[in-house]
């Protein structure tokens, strides 16, 4: 037959058969459903015969090319020279039938092998597996030489072949069968198209038993009455199905929130190779890294430190012209990065409120000037919207942060998506430099420069009083740094080549140095590695003489190779290639919020054709598209519109969406790893950052050269590993820079020192020889976890008390090992410590929230990664036991395929999904080692530990834990009825028997998700935790760490990437900003205490260090630090004139 597309029926290749119609009445035939059930059938019968003549092998015409999306079926098995036959079947619109394929059996039986249902223009082409049988003469001649026993066997086998050689097709019309099944009159469903379709959906898709839909009334009723009764049954079943679907969707989203809280693994910066497209701000769109149209008001905002606000305080300098963005971010807000719902900064990238800021208390301007207060992300989806009852913190006149009196009414809700309701938390500001050199960022020029100049002129001419002076001082003090950064950012936009000093700035003259590696283009898609032997001018153009690799096999040198046929290759001996792939950033479905790249089988998703460029396109997985299509079939366009409005109302691209046209959705391929490539899984983009050695003038990838740009400021040239010893003198300044690359130079505190010593001792005891493991605590902050406001209000309405907040210390631990002289971050751990000052039920409990690792630990013998990681955890449990903690809670939830917890783009071997039971056994192995060391007394599931539960008030609520959601849910505080009319709901006590029983059932259901260990009492009196406060914007929260790694493509897929990413992390930690005055009493870090900000230089100061209390700050209109005040009095701020 001619080539055909999917679902396309061709009649031009139809064969002609000899047909005989068997007249009725005839004896019924039957086929078996199972061993005990047979179905008899009657109806028209036809016998077809096909005479396949063949007199040679005529040349077949060349096949027409298949459509681009057509995957040809496997070739049918045919005898030599036999034709390939296809069975075509198609159903008309609004018709349906069942097609059974098999063979004719003995005694009027039909032996079916396959069955399928076709309806509503379904069309299939089925290749037939043909096998030619020998004729009687051929068979007789073939067995003539066999023994009598063999001949008997051959004849029996041939008889069996002949008996089952007749191919049979049975067509069963479904509508008459439905009428008989539902006890409806004949032809009752003929014109009931919608009802018929609903019945088919219930039977086929939902497997509803027929007795729930069958008419059960008097047989004398009219056909209309019978139809109406069946229609009522169908409506009732659909209502039940919808309720079940809502429940399953709620459970699935809850599970997704457990596995990917707030969908941290978000896609960052659109579909470009990594430009930055920012968010909608008020009525203007801030594009790329350009600043907002109007500078924010610096004396009218309040900033609060909250439980999960883990990003660092703002850098010490800021101006509107600098490429920095000031973002108010809800601590648990979910706005994400293009289609994700992510809190990369834990109060960092993405979140509620855009540049316009949060709405004021009376609906007035937001906290950052005037604006609509819309949710924003980095082209994000699922922003969290402030609740109407949220009681936002009141604005103060002077900049403040770290306030302790956070309004308990502040809550964030995204109920439509059934996502987690953020706890009572305030907001904080985080300035992030959106500058990622080398990943092809697109830097748009400031579109509001003229508008700013005009506003500035108005201020200078008509501004009077202290506020005008503050503006003038701020512009003057930041002018020079602003100009420098503008020049730096302009260069970083498209120029990713760091040219060596003294070399031609034109890459045309400087790319291919003699002796350097290049790739030579042999055809449109093939590049081969070569080495440049010489270069010469010919006709005003540079031409090169190259020798292909390996040179031993390619003695001939190619001359006259033009510049256009070459591209750079890295000079690293283990790289020697041009393309260094970047890991693809994750994508999420806008409806179910699940990762689209969770399995290798998931290769496509759906998005709207016409809305992609505008950023308003929805992204949906195949499952959700199928669900929406079923919604359209069962409920019509109105039902589909209601569902679309339900899941899009919290998305920035769908806040005002009223409908969705399913026909506009098109399949879009998910990024996949290229075939025969060693790139990371799902890699799509290429790292374009190159640095030229100032000694040999060869080019290196930044990753391969371990090039940290911040270390090459002030004219310091870059030298590769071969040239550095010859050309670079080890000065004090260089030694200081190199110390930033060393993990051992990070600040050590008693906890890290204790764990490091225990790990060293355990490795020696196990006779494991390896490079020493470096343990450092990189974050240690005093935080507060706030109880859901509804839970507090519920308990108050019952006249019972419940803690509004649970203070705890958040800690982050990193473990390093040197590989080839370079540090590699191997292990990361985030914990929450609720001490003796925390109220019950969280008192003296430790929560291990997240840990992650990469497979680069090296030892002799190999295979002791778990030994090291177990040793770290056991040593940490020993430390907490010495501090007086009693319980350790562990959440056993492995990441799914494609997900990341802490490290971004781990090695391919680690991307395979881990089973929960395997992770559980790993934790149990660690706890068994802790028991052997008398650290842990016993451990078990949460159901075991809370077997005698008497009230929900005994269940601890940790920040970000599943029980923060489950406890309010058990009390009915997450129902829609409670949201719409909370006062009319019946109050349920925490010690209610039914509620406690439900909690125990939930613990039984989640018994493999949680482990609880009971620590032994310390041998001595508990120590006091004297570890200092450590705050680093990168490591203060897991979301921040992962988000920064995703944004900057700090990957861990190869050892070289891991070494480079670790170096970038170390430099970030070493160069963290210092706050406050030089003799600061708190170590010049942001520790969550009250701080005030200077309105001129933008530095932050602890209130205690500058003698300002919170009450005094509330009465101040502005604040100038001592330095800016002195400069203003001496006239130093007037130098240089106005700002730009």
């Amino acid at each position: 037959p001619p080539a055909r597309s999917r679902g396309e029926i061709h009649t031009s290749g139809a064969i002609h058969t000899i047909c005989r119609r068997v007249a009725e009445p005839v004896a019924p035939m039957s086929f078996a459903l199972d061993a005990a059930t047979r179905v008899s059938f009657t109806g028209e019968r036809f016998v077809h015969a096909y005479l396949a003549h063949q007199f040679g092998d005529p040349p077949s015409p060349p096949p027409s090319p298949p459509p681009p999306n057509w995957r040809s079926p496997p070739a049918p098995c045919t005898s030599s020279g036999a034709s390939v036959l296809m069975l075509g079947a198609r159903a008309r619109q609004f018709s349906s039938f069942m097609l059974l394929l098999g063979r004719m059996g003995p005694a009027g039986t039909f032996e079916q092998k396959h069955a399928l249902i076709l309806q509503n223009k379904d069309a299939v082409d089925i290749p037939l597996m043909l096998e030619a049988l020998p004729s009687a003469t051929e068979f007789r001649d073939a067995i003539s030489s066999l023994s009598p026993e063999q001949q008997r066997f051959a004849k029996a086998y041939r008889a069996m072949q002949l008996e089952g050689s007749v191919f049979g097709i049975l067509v069963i019309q479904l509508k008459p069968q439905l009428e008989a099944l539902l006890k409806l009159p004949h032809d009752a469903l003929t014109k009931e198209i919608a009802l018929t379709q609903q019945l088919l959906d219930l039977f086929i898709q939902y497997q509803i038993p027929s007795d729930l839909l069958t008419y059960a009334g008097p047989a004398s009723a009219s056909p209309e009455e019978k139809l109406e009764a069946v229609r009522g049954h169908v409506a009732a079943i659909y209502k039940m199905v919808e309720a079940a679907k809502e429940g399953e969707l709620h459970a699935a989203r809850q599970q997704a929130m457990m596995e990917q809280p707030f969908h941290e693994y978000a896609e960052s910066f659109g579909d470009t190779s990594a430009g930055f497209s920012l968010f909608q701000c008020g009525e203007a769109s801030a594009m790329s890294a350009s600043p907002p149209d109007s500078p924010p008001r610096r004396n009218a905002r309040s900033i609060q430190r909250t439980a999960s606000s883990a990003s660092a305080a703002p850098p010490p300098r800021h101006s509107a012209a600098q490429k920095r963005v000031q973002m108010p971010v809800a601590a648990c807000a979910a706005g994400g990065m293009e289609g994700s719902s992510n809190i990369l900064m834990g109060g960092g990238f993405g979140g509620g409120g855009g540049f316009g800021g949060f709405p004021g208390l009376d609906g007035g301007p937001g906290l950052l000037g005037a604006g609509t207060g819309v949710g924003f992300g980095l082209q994000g989806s699922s922003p969290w919207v402030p609740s109407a009852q949220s009681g936002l913190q009141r604005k103060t006149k002077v900049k403040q942060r770290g306030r302790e009196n956070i309004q308990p009414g502040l809550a964030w809700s995204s109920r439509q998506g059934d996502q987690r309701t953020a706890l009572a938390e305030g907001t904080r500001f985080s300035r992030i430099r959106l500058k990622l050199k080398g990943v092809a960022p697109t830097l748009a020029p400031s579109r509001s420069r003229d508008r700013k100049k005009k506003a500035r002129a108005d201020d200078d001419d008509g501004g009077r009083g202290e506020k005008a002076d503050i503006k003038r001082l701020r512009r003057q003090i930041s002018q020079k740094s602003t100009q420098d950064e503008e020049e730096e950012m302009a260069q970083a936009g498209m120029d990713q080549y760091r040219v060596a000093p003294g070399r031609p700035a034109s890459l045309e003259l400087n790319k291919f140095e003699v002796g350097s590696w290049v790739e030579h283009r042999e055809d449109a898609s093939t590049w081969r590695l070569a080495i440049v032997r010489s270069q010469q001018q010919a006709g005003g153009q540079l031409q090169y003489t190259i020798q292909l690799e390996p040179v031993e096999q390619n003695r001939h040198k190619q001359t006259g190779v033009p510049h256009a046929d070459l591209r750079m290759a890295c000079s690293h001996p283990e790289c020697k290639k041009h393309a260094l792939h970047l890991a693809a950033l994750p994508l999420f479905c806008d409806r179910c919020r699940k990762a689209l790249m969770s399995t290798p089988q998931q290769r496509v998703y759906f998005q709207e054709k016409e809305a992609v460029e505008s950023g308003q396109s929805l992204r949906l997985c195949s499952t959700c598209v199928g669900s929406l299509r079923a919604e359209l079939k069962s409920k019509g366009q109105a039902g589909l519109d209601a569902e679309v409005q339900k899941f899009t109302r919290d998305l920035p691209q769908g806040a005002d969406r009223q409908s969705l046209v399913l026909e506009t959705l098109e399949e879009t391929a998910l990024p996949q790893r290229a075939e025969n490539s060693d790139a990371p899984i799902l890699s799509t983009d290429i790292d374009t950052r190159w640095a030229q050695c100032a000694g040999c003038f060869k080019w290196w990838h930044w990753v391969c050269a371990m090039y940290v740009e911040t270390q090459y400021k002030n004219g310091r040239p870059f030298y590769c590993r071969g040239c550095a010893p010859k050309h670079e003198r080890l000065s004090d300044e260089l030694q200081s820079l190199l110390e930033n690359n060393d993990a051992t130079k990070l600040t050590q505190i008693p906890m890290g020192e204790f764990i490091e010593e225990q790990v060293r001792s355990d490795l020696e005891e196990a006779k494991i020889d390896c490079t020493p493991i470096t343990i450092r605590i990189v974050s240690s902050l005093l935080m507060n976890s706030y109880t859901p406001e509804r839970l507090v209000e519920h308990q108050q309405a019952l006249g019972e008390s419940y803690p509004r907040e649970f203070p705890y210390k958040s800690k982050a631990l990193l473990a390093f090992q040197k590989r080839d002289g370079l540090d590699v971050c191997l292990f990361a751990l985030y914990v929450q410590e609720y001490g003796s000052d925390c109220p019950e039920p969280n008192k003296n409990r430790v929560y291990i929230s997240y840990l992650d690792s990469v497979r680069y630990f090296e030892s002799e013998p190999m295979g002791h990664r778990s030994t090291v990681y177990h040793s770290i955890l056991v040593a940490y449990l020993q430390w907490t036991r010495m501090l007086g903690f009693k319980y350790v809670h562990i959440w056993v939830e492995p990441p799914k395929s494609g997900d990341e917890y802490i490290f971004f783009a781990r090695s391919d071997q680690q991307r395979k999904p881990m089973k929960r039971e395997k992770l559980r056994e790993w934790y149990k192995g660690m706890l068994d080692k802790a028991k052997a060391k008398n650290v842990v007394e016993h451990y078990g599931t949460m159901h075991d530990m809370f077997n005698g539960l008497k009230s929900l008030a005994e269940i601890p609520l940790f920040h970000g834990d599943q029980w923060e959601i489950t406890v309010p849910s058990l009390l009915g505080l997450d129902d829609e009825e409670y949201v719409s009319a909370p006062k009319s709901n019946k109050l349920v006590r925490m010690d209610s028997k039914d509620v406690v029983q439900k909690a125990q059932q939930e613990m039984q259901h989640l018994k493999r998700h949680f482990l609880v260990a009971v620590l032994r009492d310390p041998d001595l009196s508990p120590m006091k935790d004297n570890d200092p406060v450590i705050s680093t914007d990168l490591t203060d929260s897991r979301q921040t760490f992962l988000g920064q790694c995703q944004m900057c493509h700090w990957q861990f897929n190869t050892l070289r990437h891991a070494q480079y990413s670790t170096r970038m992390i170390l430099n970030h930690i070493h160069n963290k900003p210092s706050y406050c005055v030089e003799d600061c009493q708190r170590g010049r870090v942001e520790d969550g205490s009250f701080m005030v900000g200077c309105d001129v230089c933008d530095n932050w100061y602890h209130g205690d260090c500058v003698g300002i209390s919170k009450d005094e700050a509330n009465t101040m209109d502005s604040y100038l630090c001592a330095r800016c005040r002195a400069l203003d009095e001496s006239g130093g701020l007037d130098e240089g004139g106005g700002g730009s």
Side-chain angles (χ1 to χ4, degrees):
R4 63 191 68 193
S5 304
R6 270 186 298 188
E8 184 179 358
I9 302 299
H10 289 275
T11 58
S12 59
I15 62 173
H16 295 277
T17 64
I18 304 169
C19 177
R20 176 196 170 194
R21 180 179 182 276
V22 181
E24 295 188 79
V26 292
M29 296 182 65
S30 65
F31 63 88
L33 282 183
D34 52 40
T37 308
R38 297 195 67 85
V39 177
S40 62
F41 60 90
T42 57
E44 292 184 306
R45 300 180 195 173
F46 299 88
V47 179
H48 295 267
Y50 168 51
L51 188 59
H53 295 285
Q54 185 170 352
F55 302 100
D57 297 322
S60 57
S64 57
N69 294 330
W70 165 245
R71 180 181 295 175
S72 59
C77 297
T78 63
S79 61
S80 176
S83 300
V84 178
L85 294 184
M86 306 280 288
L87 175 66
R90 181 173 63 88
R92 294 188 178 91
Q93 183 67 45
F94 305 131
S95 68
S96 57
F97 62 88
M98 181 183 295
L99 181 65
L100 280 74
L101 307 179
R103 65 182 184 180
M104 306 303 296
T109 60
F110 177 70
E111 299 176 358
Q112 79 281 6
K113 298 295 183 183
H114 307 281
L116 66 157
I117 294 176
L118 288 87
Q119 55 179 329
N120 296 333
K121 293 187 177 181
D122 286 344
V124 294
D125 284 352
I126 305 172
L128 302 182
M129 316 284 283
L130 301 181
E131 180 182 358
L133 297 180
S135 65
T137 302
E138 292 172 335
F139 177 74
R140 186 174 60 252
D141 293 343
I143 68 172
S144 60
S145 62
L146 301 178
S147 66
E149 291 80 6
Q150 291 175 327
Q151 288 186 10
R152 285 195 297 271
F153 174 78
K155 290 178 181 179
Y157 183 77
R158 177 173 173 81
M160 182 180 66
Q161 281 186 318
L162 293 175
E163 184 181 73
S165 63
V166 180
F167 175 61
I169 305 170
L170 176 59
V171 179
I172 302 176
Q173 299 292 336
L174 293 184
K175 192 173 295 184
Q177 304 304 320
L178 285 176
E179 293 169 347
L181 180 67
L182 301 176
K183 298 182 180 179
L184 294 175
H186 181 63
D187 287 340
L189 296 176
T190 300
K191 296 185 179 181
E192 297 292 335
I193 297 174
L195 179 59
T196 303
Q197 188 61 50
Q198 291 175 343
L199 288 168
L200 289 174
D201 287 345
L202 290 177
F203 285 130
I204 298 173
Q205 182 177 352
Y206 298 106
Q207 303 289 308
I208 301 298
S210 60
D211 55 351
L212 297 179
L213 302 171
T214 303
Y215 172 71
S220 59
S222 64
E224 291 76 12
E225 292 175 342
K226 294 181 179 180
L227 269 175
E228 194 60 35
V230 172
R231 191 176 287 108
H233 297 333
V234 169
I237 294 296
Y238 261 107
K239 184 177 180 181
M240 180 188 67
V241 167
E242 289 304 314
K245 284 169 59 178
E246 288 296 327
E248 291 178 1
L249 191 59
H250 175 76
R253 284 174 174 161
Q254 253 192 350
Q255 180 70 13
M257 289 305 303
M258 289 176 60
E259 298 164 353
Q260 307 172 39
F262 303 108
H263 308 285
E264 294 89 353
Y265 314 121
E267 170 193 4
S268 295
F269 309 104
D271 297 329
T272 64
S273 58
F276 292 98
S277 295
L278 291 188
F279 22 77
Q280 195 76 14
C281 51
E283 297 178 356
S285 174
M287 298 188 60
S288 199
S290 57
D293 286 347
S294 57
R297 294 176 60 87
R298 310 298 299 180
N299 60 344
R301 72 174 189 259
S302 69
I303 303 172
Q304 298 185 357
R305 178 66 184 227
T306 62
S308 65
S309 61
S311 54
R317 303 192 63 81
H318 175 275
S319 71
Q322 284 177 305
K323 300 302 185 290
R324 295 178 181 174
V325 181
Q326 194 133 337
M327 299 193 288
V329 182
C332 285
M337 293 188 171
E338 172 140 340
S340 65
S341 14
N342 185 12
I343 48 169
L344 293 181
M345 297 300 289
F349 298 111
F355 279 124
F358 300 104
L361 296 177
D362 55 357
L367 297 180
L368 280 180
T372 59
V374 297
F376 75 84
L378 295 181
Q379 285 193 351
S381 65
S382 299
W384 290 64
V385 183
S387 170
Q389 58 183 3
S390 61
L392 292 169
Q393 70 258 26
R394 59 190 180 85
K395 297 192 295 183
T396 55
K397 296 182 179 181
V398 66
K399 296 184 302 182
Q400 302 176 33
R401 69 179 303 126
R403 295 170 60 86
E404 298 171 359
N405 55 338
I406 298 175
Q407 294 288 341
L410 181 61
W412 299 86
S413 175
S414 179
R415 299 205 47 78
Q416 194 56 39
D418 284 329
Q419 298 184 7
R420 174 174 310 186
T421 301
L423 309 182
E425 294 170 340
T427 62
R428 64 173 301 177
F429 288 84
S430 175
R431 293 183 198 84
I432 295 111
R433 290 189 60 182
L434 294 181
K435 178 174 68 173
L436 176 55
K437 299 184 178 68
V439 197
T442 302
L443 293 179
S446 175
R447 300 177 300 165
S448 57
R449 187 178 300 276
D450 295 338
R451 189 186 311 172
K452 291 181 180 180
K453 288 182 178 179
K454 182 178 184 303
R456 185 174 297 121
D458 294 341
D459 287 341
D460 291 341
D461 294 340
R464 296 290 184 267
E466 185 177 3
K467 292 184 180 179
D469 294 338
I470 292 296
K471 291 181 180 179
R472 174 180 56 81
L473 296 177
R474 287 189 58 203
R475 289 198 302 270
Q476 294 170 353
I477 199 172
S478 61
Q479 178 186 17
K480 187 177 186 306
S481 61
T482 296
Q483 294 172 345
D484 293 342
E485 267 199 53
E486 282 186 341
E487 293 176 2
E488 177 188 349
M489 292 296 292
Q491 293 178 357
M494 300 304 296
D495 182 9
Q496 309 305 325
Y497 299 92
R498 297 296 173 260
V499 180
R503 298 294 294 173
S506 172
L507 294 177
E508 183 80 17
L509 305 174
N510 193 24
K511 266 191 176 181
F512 310 123
E513 184 71 17
V514 174
S516 63
W517 298 104
V518 294
E519 288 186 357
H520 174 243
R521 174 165 39 201
E522 294 192 337
D523 54 46
S525 59
T526 305
W527 294 82
R528 286 191 61 184
L529 181 65
I531 187 170
V532 178
R533 293 305 184 186
S534 65
Q535 59 180 358
Q536 56 276 342
Q537 288 280 350
Q541 300 291 329
L542 273 177
Q543 293 184 349
Y544 300 87
T545 298
I546 64 172
Q547 187 175 5
L548 296 176
E549 280 287 309
V551 294
E552 295 81 6
Q553 303 174 12
N554 297 276
R555 297 295 183 180
H556 174 70
K557 300 176 182 177
Q558 300 185 26
T559 60
V561 179
H563 187 279
D565 287 348
L566 300 178
R567 66 182 186 182
M568 291 189 303
C570 181
S571 298
H572 193 286
E574 297 178 8
C575 182
K576 293 184 181 179
K577 58 186 177 182
H578 174 80
L580 191 64
H581 287 265
L582 300 173
L585 299 168
L587 301 171
F588 294 91
C589 174
D590 287 328
R591 182 171 183 261
C592 64
R593 311 298 199 266
K594 289 185 177 180
L596 292 173
M597 298 181 287
S598 58
T599 61
Q601 292 76 23
Q602 184 80 24
R603 293 186 173 270
V604 297
Y605 66 95
F606 293 82
Q607 64 180 358
E608 296 170 286
K609 301 176 185 177
E610 301 177 356
V612 175
E613 294 183 359
S614 64
Q616 301 298 312
S617 174
L618 292 178
R619 182 182 292 112
L620 300 170
C621 63
S622 303
T623 303
C624 288
V625 170
S627 177
L628 292 177
R629 286 173 178 165
E631 197 83 15
L632 179 63
K633 282 185 179 181
S634 61
K635 294 185 177 180
Q637 187 63 40
L640 174 64
D641 292 347
E643 176 64 21
V644 170
Q645 293 169 21
K646 185 185 296 184
F647 77 81
T648 61
R649 125 176 122 194
D650 298 322
L651 306 178
Q653 69 269 37
D656 299 325
R657 182 182 288 269
Q658 299 298 321
S659 63
L660 172 65
V661 181
L662 295 180
E663 286 73 15
T664 63
L665 296 176
E666 67 175 357
E667 277 191 6
T668 305
L670 283 167
Q672 300 287 334
R673 179 171 56 183
E675 189 175 357
N676 301 323
S677 169
D678 60 350
I681 291 180
L682 306 177
S683 63
T684 55
D685 302 323
I686 294 175
D687 195 337
T688 60
R689 297 171 296 177
W690 295 85
Q692 186 180 29
C693 174
C696 61
F697 307 127
K698 295 179 181 179
W699 291 90
W700 295 65
H701 290 124
W702 282 19
V703 172
C704 299
M706 302 295 147
Y707 180 86
V708 181
E709 191 183 19
T710 56
Q711 296 189 355
Y712 293 92
K713 301 290 186 181
N714 303 322
R716 180 195 171 195
F718 161 69
Y719 292 101
C720 65
R721 60 178 66 181
C723 298
K726 307 174 188 175
H727 299 278
E728 198 163 28
R729 185 175 59 86
L730 189 62
S731 62
D732 293 341
E733 181 181 0
L734 178 59
Q735 182 64 35
S736 177
L737 289 175
L738 295 179
E739 288 180 355
N740 291 341
N741 304 331
D742 194 345
T744 60
K745 301 302 181 181
L746 293 175
T747 303
Q748 182 65 290
I749 63 175
M751 173 181 165
E753 188 176 359
F754 175 82
I755 297 176
E756 187 174 286
E757 177 60 28
Q758 290 295 316
V759 171
R760 185 195 61 79
S761 176
D762 290 344
L763 292 178
E764 287 183 357
E765 184 179 346
K767 298 181 179 179
I768 299 173
D769 185 19
C770 67
T771 307
I773 302 297
T774 302
I775 305 293
R776 290 296 184 270
I777 309 303
V778 292
S779 178
S780 179
L781 291 174
L782 298 174
M783 313 286 280
N784 280 322
S785 176
Y786 293 91
T787 307
E789 183 61 22
R790 292 177 185 171
L791 182 58
V792 176
E793 293 175 352
H794 178 271
Q795 292 301 103
Q796 289 178 346
L798 288 171
E800 300 177 0
S801 62
Y802 195 82
R804 284 185 173 273
E805 59 185 49
F806 298 98
Y808 69 95
K809 180 173 281 191
S810 171
K811 292 183 178 180
L813 176 149
L814 296 181
F816 305 86
Q817 185 191 34
K818 289 190 182 297
R819 294 286 304 271
D820 301 327
L822 302 175
D823 279 300
V824 178
C825 188
L826 301 172
F827 179 83
L829 173 69
Y830 280 87
V831 297
Q832 301 170 17
E833 298 177 354
Y834 297 80
S836 58
D837 58 338
C838 179
E840 293 289 359
N842 287 21
K843 185 176 181 179
N844 288 332
R845 295 180 185 268
V846 174
Y847 179 55
I848 298 179
S849 55
Y850 287 96
L851 63 82
D852 202 357
S853 66
V854 291
R855 295 186 175 184
Y856 298 122
F857 174 69
E858 187 178 50
S859 66
E860 184 62 38
M862 296 295 291
H864 284 280
R865 289 174 56 244
S866 290
T867 304
V868 175
Y869 304 151
H870 280 173
S871 177
I872 294 173
L873 289 173
V874 171
Y876 171 69
L877 296 186
Q878 171 69 4
W879 178 260
T880 57
R881 170 177 173 259
M882 293 161 57
L883 294 178
F885 290 95
K886 187 63 178 176
Y887 302 95
V888 177
H889 294 251
I890 303 174
W891 184 11
V892 183
E893 188 61 40
K896 291 187 175 181
S897 176
D899 290 346
E900 312 286 357
Y901 273 171
I902 299 176
F903 296 110
F904 173 57
R906 295 174 297 169
S907 61
D908 294 349
Q909 294 83 3
Q910 283 190 267
R911 288 172 174 261
K912 298 176 182 178
M914 179 188 290
K915 300 294 184 183
R916 178 181 290 110
E917 194 59 36
K918 181 178 179 181
L919 179 61
R920 178 182 171 84
E921 291 300 320
W922 189 89
Y923 275 120
K924 290 172 67 177
M926 180 272 295
L927 293 174
D928 287 336
K929 292 179 181 179
K931 284 182 65 177
K933 289 190 171 186
N934 292 323
V935 176
V936 170
E937 183 175 327
H938 64 274
Y939 66 89
T941 67
M942 199 167 180
H943 182 264
D944 298 334
M945 296 299 175
F946 291 87
N947 192 30
L949 184 70
K950 297 181 180 179
S951 172
L952 296 189
E954 300 174 15
I955 300 177
L957 302 183
F958 306 119
H959 182 71
D961 185 43
Q962 169 65 17
W963 290 97
E964 275 188 332
I965 308 170
T966 305
V967 169
S969 177
L970 293 173
L971 295 172
L973 304 183
D974 60 344
D975 297 335
E976 293 291 342
E977 292 78 5
Y978 182 91
V979 178
S980 58
K983 294 183 179 180
S984 62
N985 282 269
K986 182 180 178 181
L987 299 177
V988 181
R989 295 179 58 87
M990 280 191 167
D991 56 358
S992 169
K993 183 177 180 181
D994 293 339
V995 172
V996 172
Q997 185 177 2
K998 289 180 180 179
Q1000 290 178 333
Q1001 291 174 353
E1002 187 71 15
M1003 289 181 183
Q1004 175 67 20
H1005 176 67
L1006 299 175
K1007 65 180 181 180
R1008 299 197 175 276
H1009 292 70
F1010 299 95
L1011 285 171
V1012 182
V1014 181
L1015 301 178
R1016 290 184 178 273
D1017 293 332
D1019 300 329
L1020 305 174
S1021 59
M1023 299 188 310
K1024 185 178 180 181
D1025 188 357
N1026 292 320
D1027 287 344
V1029 171
I1030 301 174
S1031 176
T1032 305
D1033 59 343
L1034 176 65
T1035 57
D1036 278 347
S1037 78
R1038 176 190 69 88
Q1039 297 92 340
T1040 308
F1041 189 91
L1042 177 63
Q1044 184 80 356
C1045 290
Q1046 288 177 337
M1047 183 186 74
C1048 298
H1049 281 278
W1050 296 343
Q1051 304 171 192
F1052 289 83
N1053 54 290
T1054 67
L1055 176 60
R1056 197 157 64 250
H1057 275 95
Q1059 290 170 333
Y1060 175 74
S1061 300
T1062 302
R1063 175 165 292 194
M1064 297 302 295
I1065 291 168
L1066 290 172
N1067 275 268
H1068 196 106
I1069 297 175
H1070 276 295
N1071 297 318
K1072 63 182 179 181
S1074 296
Y1075 303 105
C1076 204
V1077 295
E1078 292 187 3
D1079 56 346
C1080 173
Q1081 303 172 8
R1082 299 177 178 270
R1084 305 195 71 179
V1085 300
E1086 184 201 5
D1087 59 354
S1089 61
F1090 169 71
M1091 300 178 75
V1092 294
C1094 175
D1095 288 293
V1096 175
C1097 66
D1098 216 21
N1099 280 335
W1100 291 87
Y1101 301 87
H1102 299 111
D1104 297 340
C1105 297
V1106 295
I1108 297 178
S1109 66
K1110 293 191 292 288
D1111 295 335
E1112 291 173 337
N1114 291 333
T1115 63
M1116 298 171 62
D1117 289 332
S1118 62
Y1119 171 73
L1120 266 69
C1121 66
R1123 173 178 171 272
C1124 294
R1125 193 180 307 114
L1127 287 174
D1128 184 35
E1129 293 172 355
S1130 64
L1133 293 180
D1134 292 329
E1135 298 178 1
S1140 61

